[in-house]
Amino acid sequence: MPEPGSKKYDRKRARLRKEAEDSGVPDQQANKAADKTLQKDPSMRSRGPRTARGLGPKGERPESLG
């Protein structure tokens, strides 16, 4: 599953941007259109931290606040 910032995500974004430009959308709008399309796609969203370390300092993690 590609995530924002990954190479796969960037390639898909560039392809969507190029398609928008080819259909007559101005440069600025093509960027926004590609971003919106990818943000709507649930498979392109970030899955969050992959390790416990990614959740932050141990004393501030949700499971330790209870």
Side-chain angles (χ1 to χ4, degrees):
M1 173 183 320
E3 296 182 4
S6 70
K7 185 172 183 175
K8 201 172 206 180
Y9 182 93
D10 290 343
R11 285 192 322 221
K12 187 160 187 168
R13 184 181 173 280
R15 184 180 52 76
L16 290 170
R17 184 177 184 272
K18 181 73 173 165
E19 287 174 5
E21 285 178 353
D22 289 344
S23 66
V25 177
D27 242 9
Q28 284 293 67
Q29 304 328 34
N31 271 334
K32 291 178 183 177
D35 285 337
K36 283 183 183 180
T37 302
L38 290 174
Q39 288 172 0
K40 289 179 185 175
D41 186 359
S43 69
M44 293 289 166
R45 291 194 187 132
S46 175
R47 292 177 280 162
R50 295 183 182 152
T51 64
R53 184 175 183 165
L55 295 173
K58 193 167 188 172
E60 297 177 16
R61 295 182 191 160
E63 68 271 3
S64 66
L65 295 176

